[in-house]
Each structure stands twice: as structure tokens, then as C-alpha cells.
Amino acid sequence: MGLDIALQDAMTGLRATQAQIQVISANIANAQTPGYSEETITQTPIRMPSGGAGVNTSIIQRVSDQLLTRQIATQTSASSAATTTNSYMQQLQTLFGQVGSGSTFTDAYNNFASALQTEAATPEDPVAQSAAVNAGQQLAQQLNSFSSGIQTLRAGTDSDINTAVTNLNTALSQIASLNGSIAQVKAEGQSTATLEDQRDQALSQVSQLTGVSSYERPDGSMVVLAASGQTLVDGVWNLSASATVH
């Protein structure tokens, strides 16, 4: 084996080692980065045209379980829905008042009904008359407060819906854009690991807003479906959602 051949063999080994070190360094540096998937690169022996033996490296691949990713998206959707429902229920409970506190709407109504019964039994009693008037005023205040609280809650809900739709459209558009980039880069034989991480992050954002499922096409692009089966993203196309509030 000549010196030139030996140097060529050594250079392929050095390049392969350098690539491996870069991948390991990236994994360590991004160990705590949200959405980052571990990356790997494989090395295979090759026969050089000059007669020597060298090392070839593959493109960088993600260590990712697509089934697990889909399951996480499903559970994220369910968890987000439960959290949102619980938040609104707690706000409603606050408006109704805490049971046993003596200051709920039911307490005010019962006090008013009791005061009316007392006043009806003793119509000439000024104390009973005053108590009935006070109880009526307290009930009216409770009704006004409850109505105002409902209107505030409704306005907040409408605002939350509009914000959620805007965020949903942004995330869907990002997935569609990344689909195009991933398909192109994959066709060129380059690594799509970083782009796929970014797409998974966008999918996670979508799953926090609505129930979704997804699958990948052979070209690397992702199809995203709503829980109803409606297509949200297919290749570089994405649905533009809108909100209807009253």
C-alpha cells in the first residue's frame, strides 16, 4: 500500500470521527432543549477506488419513535382539554359561590323566600317588612353580580378562542412550511433531523389546542388530521381555521 493510499484511508477515518464528535457534542449541548431528539450517525467500511479501505458516514438521523410521538400528541390534547374545562368550571363555581359559605345565590334566594313568608304571616310587623326588603335587595345584587360575572367570563372565553385559533393557524402553517423543506432536503440526501424536531414542536402546539392525529408520507412530509377526520395539513397545504363567537 502506497503512502497516498494510506493517507486517503486515514482521512476518511478522521472525517468520520469528526462527524461523530459533532453529533455527540450536539446531543450533549441540547440535552435539556425542549423538542430536541437525540441524533445518530452510522459508519460503514468502504473500498476506495485506489485499492485502500476507508470509512463512510451516513446522514444524521433522529432517534425518534413516531408511534410514541402520536400517542403523546393524543394525550396532550386530552390533558389540555381537561385543563381548560376545569379552569372554566372553577370560574363558574366562584360565581355561584362556595357551598356552605352563606353567600351563594341559593342562600340569597332562600333568605328572600323565608323573609317573604315571615312578612306574609305578620304583614303589620315593620321589622318583617324591612327584612323582606333587605333580602330582596341582596338577591337583586346577587343576580346583578352573577350576570356581570357571566358576561365577563363570556368575553374572556371569546378572547381565548380567538387567540387559540390564531395560534392554531400559525402552527399549522409552520408544519406545512416545514413539510416542504423536509421533502426537499430529504430528496437531496441531506439530514432532516433539525427540521423534523421543529415540526414535532409545532405539532405539539396544535395538539394543545385541538385533538389531532398524524402520519408521515414516504417523502417525509406529514399529514395532520383533526379528531373528526378533517385534514388540517397535507404536504405544503394547511387549513385556515376561523372562530365564530357570539
Side-chain angles (χ1 to χ4, degrees), residues 17-73:
T17 300
Q18 182 181 26
Q20 189 71 50
I21 292 174
Q22 289 175 342
V23 169
I24 294 174
S25 297
N27 286 336
I28 294 174
N30 292 284
Q32 302 300 322
T33 301
Y36 179 82
S37 299
E38 181 185 355
E39 297 178 348
T40 62
I41 187 170
T42 59
Q43 300 179 359
T44 55
I46 59 173
R47 175 64 61 181
M48 303 293 290
S50 56
V55 180
N56 189 33
T57 56
S58 66
I59 62 174
I60 298 174
Q61 301 284 346
R62 296 194 310 161
V63 179
S64 177
D65 187 330
Q66 289 304 309
L67 176 60
L68 179 59
T69 298
R70 291 194 293 269
Q71 291 176 339
I72 291 175

Side-chain angles (χ1 to χ4, degrees), residues 121-149:
T122 55
E124 303 298 331
D125 186 357
V127 175
Q129 295 174 0
S130 178
V133 171
N134 289 335
Q137 291 175 339
Q138 291 177 2
L139 178 59
Q141 290 175 356
Q142 282 277 20
L143 285 171
N144 290 334
S145 177
F146 184 75
S147 177
S148 176

